[in-house]
């Protein structure tokens, strides 16, 4: 075979090989994955028991003449917390089931039916929801100017409170809040937050204020046309903290403490009908409300019994609750609710002092 023929033959074979076995394509550059929308997304279910809770106006008179204003409550809760690029979102909804000392409608708060016959009504079922969202200034303005020493961030905060219960009063709570939050770091990855807020009540309902229930009444003076109260804006300060007990030996480092305290300013007359308010113990003026769970001790059962990978997947906890002037009611006045109207004796139902315990499961 001549050289020319050989080169032609080799060229033909090479071309055929190229057509049958294409050259590998150039690898495309790998693009970075989009970051997740939520850097933290935490959901929990909780069952808890409040041993000596209260509900304003709900009480019973004992055979020895003393007044029992306490009721046990079972609480079923769903809690959500997330962190995203510009802030945080927190949402909690509780379903609370009272004992018989806090009776559901049609029983009156004293446990009697409207015409005075002793009732056998089930305990009240209450729903309460709370939402808070923050928008961090460091994130919004792309700066670290609001991070100084233990101060981690300053944020705008907005939210709402919603609640209702199937009691004789048929109350509802509808509040919106707005203000600032100052977030501070604590040791062992803990935190302390304080938020000065403005709170505005919107159409909070109370059934016995309805015009026409007892008599025609004068709307806006002696009764409310639709039973809805609208309170003027007032102030509120909310604080909360969390701290792992990291100073404990590693072998027992399963405990944390946390707590919260909120104080809400007066909102004028609690019934929004000043003409019906009296003096002294007959007053229906509202007072500063203090709602707190100053200490909760949490045991990280997930970490203790399953391993560090499952830290806080199951938490067991005990706590103490203190709630003074509940819902803004003056615990030393507000006749028919916080005191017996005829005598002024306390119903022991407008200040709550209760231990509670619960279990929370993360999912």
């Amino acid at each position: 075979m001549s050289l020319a023929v050989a080169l032609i033959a080799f060229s033909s074979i090479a071309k055929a090989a190229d057509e049958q076995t294409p050259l590998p394509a150039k690898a495309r550059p790998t693009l970075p994955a989009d970051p997740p929308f939520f850097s933290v997304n935490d959901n929990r279910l909780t069952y808890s028991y409040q041993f000596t809770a209260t509900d304003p106006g709900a009480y019973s008179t004992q055979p020895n003449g003393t007044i029992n204003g306490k009721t046990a409550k079972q609480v079923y809760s769903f809690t959500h917390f997330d962190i995203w690029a510009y802030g945080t979102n927190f949402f909690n909804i509780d379903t609370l089931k009272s004992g018989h000392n806090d009776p559901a409608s049609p029983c009156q708060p004293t446990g009697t039916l409207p015409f005075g016959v002793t009732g056998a009504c089930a305990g009240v079922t209450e729903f309460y929801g709370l939402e808070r969202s923050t928008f961090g200034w460091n994130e919004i303005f792309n700066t670290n100017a609001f991070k100084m020493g233990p101060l981690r961030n300053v944020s705008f905060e907005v939210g709402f409170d919603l609640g209702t219960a199937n009691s004789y009063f048929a109350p509802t709570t509808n509040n919106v809040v707005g203000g600032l939050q100052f977030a501070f770091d604590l040791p062992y990855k803990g935190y302390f937050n304080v938020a000065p807020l403005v709170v505005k009540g919107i159409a909070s309902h109370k059934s016995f204020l309805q015009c026409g229930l007892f008599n025609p009444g004068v709307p806006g003076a002696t009764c409310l046309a639709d039973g809805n109260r609208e309170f003027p804006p007032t102030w509120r300060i909310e604080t909360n903290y969390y701290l792992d007990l990291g100073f404990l030996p590693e072998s027992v480092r399963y405990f944390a403490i946390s707590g919260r305290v909120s104080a809400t300013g007066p909102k004028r007359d609690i019934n929004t009908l000043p003409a019906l308010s009296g003096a002294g113990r007959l007053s229906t003026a509202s007072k500063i409300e203090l709602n707190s769970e100053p200490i909760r001790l949490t045991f990280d059962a997930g970490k203790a019994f399953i391993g560090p990978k499952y830290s806080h997947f199951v938490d067991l906890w005990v706590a103490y609750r203190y709630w003074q002037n509940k819902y803004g009611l003056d615990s030393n006045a507000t006749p028919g609710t916080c005191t017996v109207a005829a005598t002024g004796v306390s119903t022991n139902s407008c200040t709550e002092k209760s231990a509670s315990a619960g279990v929370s499961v993360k999912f």
Side-chain angles (χ1 to χ4, degrees):
M1 181 183 298
S2 67
L3 178 59
V5 174
L7 290 173
I8 293 171
F10 178 78
S11 177
S12 299
I13 294 172
K15 182 178 179 181
D18 285 345
E19 290 175 350
Q20 295 175 9
T21 309
L23 294 174
K26 292 183 178 179
R28 294 183 178 179
T30 303
L31 297 176
D34 291 334
F37 189 81
F38 296 115
S39 59
V40 172
N41 191 349
D42 189 289
N43 297 288
R44 296 174 186 269
L45 291 175
T46 298
Y47 170 80
S48 59
Y49 191 84
Q50 299 173 4
F51 295 90
T52 53
T54 64
D55 196 1
Y59 65 95
S60 59
T61 302
Q62 305 303 296
N64 63 2
T66 60
I67 293 178
N68 178 18
K70 311 297 182 183
T71 181
K73 291 187 180 183
Q74 300 183 68
V75 187
Y76 305 86
S77 307
F78 167 75
T79 304
H80 167 83
F81 174 76
D82 66 65
I83 299 176
W84 64 299
Y86 290 97
T88 66
N89 297 293
F90 173 81
F91 176 76
N92 183 83
I93 185 167
D94 293 331
T95 300
L96 304 95
K97 180 65 177 176
S98 294
H100 287 275
N101 206 41
D102 181 16
S105 182
C107 280
Q108 297 179 93
T110 54
T112 59
L113 293 169
F115 297 102
V117 179
T118 299
C121 293
V124 163
T125 300
E126 179 183 356
F127 296 93
Y128 183 78
L130 178 148
E131 194 277 339
R132 297 289 185 269
S133 293
T134 65
F135 301 89
W137 290 7
N138 284 329
E139 290 77 11
I140 292 173
F141 302 111
N142 192 26
T143 180
N144 285 319
F146 303 100
K147 184 175 184 180
M148 297 172 286
L151 178 66
R152 185 176 70 254
N153 207 347
V154 180
S155 304
F156 295 115
E157 181 170 328
V158 294
F160 60 82
D161 308 323
L162 300 175
T164 187
N166 65 341
S167 68
Y168 177 76
F169 290 152
T172 62
T173 299
N174 301 282
N175 293 330
V176 292
V177 303
L180 299 177
Q181 183 197 77
F182 298 86
F184 298 88
D185 288 324
L186 292 179
Y188 307 110
K189 299 181 180 180
Y191 63 82
F192 172 73
N193 299 330
V194 56
L197 305 168
V198 174
V199 56
K200 176 68 170 69
I202 301 174
S204 297
H205 186 263
K206 209 167 190 180
S207 65
F208 73 85
L209 299 175
Q210 181 82 45
C211 291
L213 181 62
F214 301 109
N215 53 64
V218 180
T222 64
C223 63
L224 299 174
D226 55 4
N228 285 338
R229 303 168 295 171
E230 294 196 24
F231 296 110
T234 190
W235 56 266
R236 177 180 293 173
I237 298 175
E238 295 182 346
T239 69
N240 60 86
Y241 75 91
Y242 176 90
L243 179 66
D244 283 322
L245 301 186
F247 54 82
L248 295 174
E250 181 66 34
S251 58
V252 292
R253 202 172 292 172
Y254 309 126
F255 296 92
I257 58 171
S258 59
R260 58 172 180 80
V261 177
S262 73
T264 303
K267 44 193 174 185
R268 300 182 187 172
D269 186 77
I270 203 69
N271 294 325
T272 64
L273 297 169
L276 296 183
S277 185
R281 72 173 184 84
L282 300 178
S283 170
T284 56
S286 61
K287 293 291 183 179
I288 293 176
E289 174 186 3
L290 181 66
N291 182 355
S292 67
E293 185 182 273
I295 184 80
R296 175 185 290 199
L297 177 65
T298 298
F299 172 65
D300 187 349
K303 180 180 179 181
F305 299 123
I306 308 176
K309 181 179 177 181
Y310 298 95
S311 181
H312 292 299
F313 271 66
V314 180
D315 284 339
L316 306 176
W317 54 266
V318 293
Y320 174 74
R321 294 163 52 86
Y322 179 76
W323 197 341
Q324 185 182 35
N325 298 329
K326 199 166 184 178
Y327 307 134
L329 296 159
D330 186 347
S331 59
N332 297 313
T334 323
T337 303
C338 299
T339 61
V340 178
T343 64
V345 175
S346 174
T347 62
N348 302 312
S349 65
C350 292
T351 295
E352 181 174 309
K353 303 174 184 178
S354 178
S356 61
V359 55
S360 299
V361 178
K362 180 179 178 179
F363 64 95

